[in-house]
Amino acid sequence: MARISQKTIDEIKSAADILDVVGEYVALQPSGKNHKGLCPFHNEKTPSSFVSKERNYFHCFGCGEKGDAITFIEKYKHLSYVESL
């Protein structure tokens, strides 16, 4: 299997808007400078998952899942990191 260069990974990460990626799977609502929504990784009734466009990062305070857009796809779709890219 061909190795993916760090430059290519960085380009994908910078092109993948975290709000667009997470927003395809989770209804997000503005909350200050961030957005919040129900975490897709555990069952909850009130939003504990936050997405920061500024930091290109998501974090759930309920279950502890966190990462960037690539990590979100990896965990949500149960893919490998390379498949997620």
Side-chain angles (χ1 to χ4, degrees):
M1 179 190 294
R3 185 179 185 290
I4 300 173
S5 72
Q6 187 61 48
K7 179 182 177 194
T8 301
I9 292 171
D10 292 341
E11 288 172 356
I12 292 169
K13 284 182 178 184
S14 67
D17 184 304
I18 189 79
L19 289 179
D20 291 340
V21 172
V22 176
E24 286 188 37
Y25 306 98
V26 177
L28 296 173
Q29 303 167 334
S31 178
K33 64 180 181 177
N34 297 314
H35 286 72
K36 65 181 179 178
L38 296 175
C39 179
F41 303 113
H42 75 280
N43 192 14
E44 65 181 358
K45 294 180 182 176
T46 58
S48 64
S49 183
F50 288 82
V51 179
S52 171
K53 182 175 178 95
E54 180 180 293
R55 294 176 51 204
N56 207 26
Y57 185 78
F58 78 92
H59 182 213
C60 177
F61 292 98
C63 69
E65 291 288 353
K66 59 188 173 198
D68 57 24
I70 308 306
T71 307
F72 181 87
I73 293 295
E74 177 183 12
K75 292 176 182 184
Y76 188 83
K77 293 191 171 190
H78 306 286
L79 301 171
S80 71
Y81 188 78
V82 172
E83 290 171 322
S84 300
L85 286 168

